[in-house]
């Protein structure tokens, strides 16, 4: 029996990390969070799902860290440990040959930032690292004909970034990325409640409010929810009621920033490809694309059909899975030009 060499696809996101293992599919989908001791050698206490439970509830001397922010590594050592944890959880810790890693990256990050992702992956145990642009992966994972001579536009709205790209003939024709996504919406809600009600809430509460009441368009029937936080004046626990109209107002600016990125790409798209997009529509992927009314808002502003991909949060990692499963075939067909080995 030969030695097994593993291929893994890692969609390393600001909010969530997904891992695809060759012949197995998606095996991990967990938050991009690490809980560590804040003093000494920063011993890791929890990663992923276990760390999320502790978010906002840590005691003195324990710190919850998000090592990725806006698609960029903000804590190199913690990113290395987190990737190592996910590799071991996906394929075990007793592999004889170090795995090849295929990673997604936002269009906006610089070559230095890409190099940091590659180095972190190698230190975590990868034999070879391939970096692939996220919107291309999202198009591939959502089943779009990316290798045809036909233009398709993908808008990947993630936790930290929104990537917009026009794809044709197996490559990205034009792309643009803004560091706006689900996390910016959470921050906008947190700041709105702080300024309007003098109440401080945590990141988890802000995210729950976004999921419950958030909308990219004004709702006909206003919904309400009660939230708990800490009063900024008395420092005591406080409860207040908030409406969906207020949350729409809070996240309207991040939604406009996403719309602005789409307009930027459309204005610079070659005429023939623009005609294809008018006919085929714009495809939304990424977890934050599930915000209620996002597709309708974009369609009404641009006059172009907008379609939400099936399982939008999984599109990028499924695109990585397609590359992994068909790597030899693509290599022989000279269609791996989008891969950037490091």
């Amino acid at each position: 029996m030969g030695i097994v060499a593993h291929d893994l696809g890692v969609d390393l996101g600001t909010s969530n990390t997904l891992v695809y293992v060759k012949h197995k599919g998606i095996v991990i989908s967990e938050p991009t969070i690490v809980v560590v001791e804040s003093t000494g050698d920063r011993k890791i206490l929890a990663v992923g799902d276990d760390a999320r439970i502790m978010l906002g509830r840590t005691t003195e001397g324990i710190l919850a860290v998000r090592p990725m922010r806006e698609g960029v590594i903000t804590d190199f050592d913690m990113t290395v440990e987190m990737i190592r944890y996910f590799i071991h959880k996906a394929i075990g810790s007793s592999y004889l040959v170090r795995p090849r890693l295929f990673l997604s990256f936002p269009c906006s990050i610089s070559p230095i930032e890409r190099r940091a992702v590659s180095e972190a992956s190698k230190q975590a145990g990868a034999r070879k690292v391939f970096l692939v642009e996220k919107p291309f992966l999202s198009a591939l994972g959502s089943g779009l004909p990316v290798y045809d001579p036909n233009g398709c536009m993908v808008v990947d709205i993630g936790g930290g970034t929104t990537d917009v790209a026009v794809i044709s003939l197996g490559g990205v024709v034009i792309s643009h990325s803004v560091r706006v996504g689900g996390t910016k919406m959470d921050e906008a809600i947190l700041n709105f409640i702080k300024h309007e009600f003098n109440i401080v809430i945590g990141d988890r509460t802000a995210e729950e409010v976004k999921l419950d009441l958030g909308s990219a368009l004004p709702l006909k029937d206003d919904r309400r929810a009660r939230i708990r936080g800490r009063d900024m004046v008395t420092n005591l626990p406080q409860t207040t009621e908030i409406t969906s109209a207020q949350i729409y107002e809070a996240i309207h600016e991040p939604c406009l920033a996403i719309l602005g990125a789409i307009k930027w790409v459309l204005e610079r798209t070659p005429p023939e490809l623009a005609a294809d997009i008018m006919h085929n529509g714009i495809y939304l992927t990424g977890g934050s694309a599930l915000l209620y009314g996002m597709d309708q808002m974009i369609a009404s502003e641009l006059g172009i059909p907008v379609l939400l991909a099936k399982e939008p949060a999984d599109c990028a990692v499924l695109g990585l899975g397609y590359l992994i499963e068909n790597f030899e075939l693509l290599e022989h067909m000279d269609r791996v030009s989008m891969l950037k080995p490091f």
Side-chain angles (χ1 to χ4, degrees):
M1 192 168 114
I3 296 173
V4 177
H6 294 281
D7 285 347
L8 278 73
V10 181
D11 181 19
L12 194 62
T14 299
S15 300
N16 291 285
T17 294
L18 294 93
V19 180
Y20 185 106
V21 177
K22 189 173 183 178
H23 303 320
K24 291 184 180 180
I26 302 171
V27 297
I28 291 172
S29 177
E30 296 190 18
T32 310
I33 305 172
V34 181
V35 172
V36 297
E37 292 180 351
S38 59
T39 56
D41 58 357
R42 300 181 76 198
K43 179 184 175 183
I44 291 181
L45 303 177
V47 179
D49 285 334
D50 295 334
R52 179 179 170 81
I53 296 170
M54 301 166 71
L55 193 64
R57 294 184 167 89
T58 53
T59 58
E60 187 177 353
I62 298 175
L63 191 64
V65 177
R66 290 188 180 270
M68 302 287 296
R69 186 168 181 84
E70 298 176 350
V72 176
I73 291 176
T74 55
D75 190 319
F76 186 85
D77 293 336
M78 289 301 104
T79 302
V80 170
E81 294 302 324
M82 184 179 66
I83 295 173
R84 182 180 286 123
Y85 168 86
F86 286 134
I87 290 175
H88 290 175
K89 188 168 184 178
I91 62 175
S93 57
S94 58
Y95 48 84
L96 296 176
V97 179
R98 296 197 299 168
R100 286 191 305 188
L101 252 61
F102 294 69
L103 284 97
S104 64
F105 71 91
C107 304
S108 62
I109 69 172
S110 68
I112 294 172
E113 291 165 339
R114 293 177 201 175
R115 179 71 62 183
V117 174
S118 175
E119 287 302 318
S121 301
K122 287 179 179 177
Q123 288 192 29
R127 178 174 93 255
K128 194 170 186 179
V129 179
F130 292 93
L131 299 182
V132 196
E133 289 182 325
K134 194 160 187 176
F136 179 87
L137 292 170
S138 296
L140 195 59
S142 59
L144 295 177
V146 295
Y147 295 112
D148 291 355
N150 205 2
C152 56
M153 175 178 268
V154 175
V155 180
D156 185 272
I157 310 173
T161 62
T162 294
D163 291 280
V164 186
V166 176
I167 296 161
S168 180
L169 292 172
V172 175
V173 178
I174 184 168
S175 65
H176 185 50
S177 181
V178 290
R179 296 188 174 185
V180 177
T183 305
K184 273 283 190 289
M185 296 179 193
D186 296 343
E187 290 174 3
I189 291 170
L190 191 148
N191 290 329
F192 179 87
I193 292 172
K194 184 177 180 180
H195 292 136
E196 291 293 317
F197 300 100
N198 285 329
I199 292 176
V200 178
I201 62 171
D203 294 340
R204 285 188 65 182
T205 302
E207 185 180 8
E208 288 166 3
V209 169
K210 178 186 68 181
L211 295 175
D212 290 343
L213 301 180
S215 174
L217 288 172
L219 297 176
K220 293 180 181 177
D221 300 320
D222 205 20
R223 290 181 292 155
R224 297 172 179 272
R226 296 193 71 80
I227 56 169
R228 296 179 180 88
R230 176 172 56 82
D231 191 289
M232 293 175 64
V233 178
T234 64
N235 283 329
L236 296 174
Q238 181 66 273
T239 302
T240 190
E241 190 174 74
I242 194 164
T243 68
S244 56
Q246 290 170 320
I247 299 304
Y248 162 74
E249 181 184 339
I251 64 174
H252 187 56
E253 189 173 334
C255 291
L256 288 180
I258 292 168
L259 182 64
I262 299 170
K263 288 180 178 178
W264 190 96
V265 172
L266 283 172
E267 288 166 359
R268 290 159 178 79
T269 300
E272 293 296 331
L273 296 178
D276 293 338
I277 294 166
M278 285 293 296
H279 180 264
N280 299 326
I282 297 170
Y283 292 82
L284 294 188
T285 64
S288 298
L290 290 166
L291 179 72
Y292 183 83
M294 180 63 80
D295 52 346
Q296 300 170 47
M297 185 268 285
I298 296 170
S300 63
E301 289 288 338
L302 300 178
I304 301 173
V306 177
L307 301 94
L308 183 64
K310 185 180 179 182
E311 302 297 334
D314 297 344
C315 287
V317 77
L318 289 174
L320 287 167
Y322 179 88
L323 293 179
I324 290 170
E325 303 288 359
N326 299 279
F327 187 76
E328 290 78 13
L329 174 65
L330 290 167
E331 196 171 33
H332 292 314
M333 295 172 69
D334 194 29
R335 282 184 169 177
V336 290
S337 59
M338 83 293 293
L339 294 175
K340 294 177 174 58
F342 279 83

